[in-house]
Amino acid sequence: MQGAGLTRLESFPPGGQALVVGASGGIGAALLAELEACGRFARVTGWSRRAGQIDLEDEQSIARAVATLDGGPPLRLAICATSLLHDAGQQPEKSWRAMDAATLLRAYAVNAVGPALLAKHLLPLLPAEGKSAFAALSARVGSIGDNRLGGWHAYRASKAALNMLLRNLAIELGRRKPEALCVGLHPGTVDTPLSAPFQANVAEGRLFTPAFAAERLLAVLEGLRPEDSGQVFAWDGQRVEP
């Protein structure tokens, strides 16, 4: 399975600009490498909080970063590859007894509010004609209809909120720029620090390398059409249930 080829993104007009936010993470770095290799874009840019280029918890930081795109090639593709499941300060909740306000609010800030504010500043830069897209990494666990296990309250709820925000943004974007897309992408379980503590129960063949995940997500974007805007799609091209 893990041998997908380079996606050329030929459905996007040539000569534009591609942007990856969260480019220091496993998936973000792989997406950046794939976009640089595909040769479709005149400029490929990567931003990360680690490198001090952008902080999605600070809208002024977002605005300053986006301002640097002025005067460059038209923005054809922007991918928000950031996500918070756990870190030194918090872990996914296994029960409602573990919920607290600080954990919930931080998950919403990073997983929903940050990408939404990024979209607020980037969507106006998408061209009025020709295919373009804003995409954000979502997760199947953010699907309300697909939730059979419960738990992971902050992560599930913040990704569900992201999915709703992407849907809202897509409706407004479609009125202004009918050929532009705004979508969520579920990469599957990828071998990164985000998933590392939870890989023991992953089925054989379902733990993906970042390079494979990046190839698959770009292939999904390549095949999307305007009527797909506002939806969430998994790495295999299947639509994730709301």
Side-chain angles (χ1 to χ4, degrees):
M1 179 183 292
Q2 304 214 15
L6 182 68
T7 301
R8 296 295 180 184
L9 294 172
E10 294 177 351
S11 63
F12 290 83
Q17 182 168 188
L19 170 69
V20 177
V21 179
S24 64
I27 298 175
L31 284 166
L32 189 66
E34 288 292 317
L35 289 168
E36 289 173 338
C38 81
R40 192 65 176 174
F41 301 97
R43 180 189 296 175
V44 178
T45 303
W47 293 338
S48 73
R49 181 173 182 170
R50 188 179 304 170
Q53 295 151 318
I54 194 168
D55 180 354
L56 293 189
E57 296 182 73
D58 178 355
E59 188 175 359
Q60 290 186 345
S61 167
I62 296 171
R64 287 194 298 269
V66 171
T68 66
L69 300 177
D70 283 347
L75 182 64
R76 287 291 173 185
L77 176 60
I79 304 176
C80 182
T82 61
S83 206
L84 172 66
L85 174 58
H86 64 90
D87 62 12
Q90 65 185 65
Q91 293 294 322
E93 314 94 330
K94 295 181 179 179
S95 164
W96 64 56
R97 294 185 297 274
M99 286 195 298
D100 67 79
T103 297
L104 287 162
L105 289 171
R106 184 156 180 252
Y108 272 90
V110 175
N111 294 332
V113 177
L117 292 176
L118 181 66
K120 169 186 172 181
H121 290 273
L122 287 177
L123 293 181
L125 301 185
L126 298 181
E129 296 181 350
K131 183 174 180 177
S132 61
F134 174 88
L137 290 191
S138 187
R140 191 179 296 278
V141 296
S143 166
I144 295 173
D146 190 61
N147 186 357
R148 303 288 186 270
L149 298 175
W152 289 27
H153 302 295
Y155 189 69
R156 283 185 185 275
S158 60
K159 289 296 187 178
L162 170 65
N163 295 346
M164 177 60 80
L165 286 162
L166 292 172
R167 177 62 177 164
N168 272 2
L169 294 166
I171 292 171
E172 185 172 353
L173 178 65
R175 297 186 187 120
R176 300 166 182 259
K177 301 171 182 182
E179 296 180 79
L181 295 143
C182 180
V183 297
L185 297 173
H186 166 56
T189 304
V190 183
D191 190 9
T192 67
L194 183 142
S195 71
F198 315 105
Q199 294 177 3
N201 295 322
V202 178
E204 185 176 355
R206 289 289 182 154
L207 179 62
F208 304 144
T209 66
F212 175 81
E215 290 165 356
R216 289 304 311 147
L217 295 180
L218 293 179
V220 171
L221 287 169
E222 170 74 346
L224 295 183
R225 305 175 66 178
E227 56 265 33
D228 298 315
S229 192
Q231 307 296 327
V232 179
F233 293 90
W235 61 274
D236 57 1
Q238 297 299 306
R239 188 170 71 88
V240 176
E241 183 180 1

